[in-house]
Amino acid sequence: MTLIRNMKDTLLNVGEASKEIYQAAESSIDICIESEVLAEIPFVEYVFSIKNAVDKYQVAKVKRNYANFIKSASNMNTEEALYFTN
């Protein structure tokens, strides 16, 4: 489990680089938008926030399903285990 957590942290912790990317993308969008009101809305930041929320939900869902699988597999008797291994 520690290996998976370390891999996830390495992949998701881009920190300042991600902020610079979405600020650059936001600036590019602002150049194309003529309305000052719409230019003030941080579209890219909202998209990143929604994506992060979805990712957190999916991680929690996988953890829950994994825990349920381990729990149900540990409750199997020998006959059931042999049935699923063949």
Side-chain angles (χ1 to χ4, degrees), residues 3 7 21 28 37 39-40 54 66 77 79 82 86:
L3 176 63
M7 289 173 56
I21 291 171
S28 300
V37 175
E40 293 298 318
V54 169
Y66 178 72
N77 61 30
E79 289 177 14
L82 288 175
N86 289 332

Side-chain angles (χ1 to χ4, degrees), residues 44-86:
V44 177
E45 185 176 350
Y46 289 152
V47 170
F48 272 93
S49 297
I50 292 169
K51 182 194 172 302
N52 287 337
V54 169
D55 288 346
K56 287 180 182 180
Y57 169 76
Q58 289 177 340
V59 167
K61 186 177 171 183
V62 167
K63 285 180 181 179
R64 182 199 67 209
N65 290 345
Y66 178 72
N68 287 337
F69 171 76
I70 296 300
K71 183 179 177 181
S72 65
S74 66
N75 293 334
M76 290 174 42
N77 61 30
T78 306
E79 289 177 14
E80 291 173 329
L82 288 175
Y83 174 78
F84 287 112
T85 56
N86 289 332

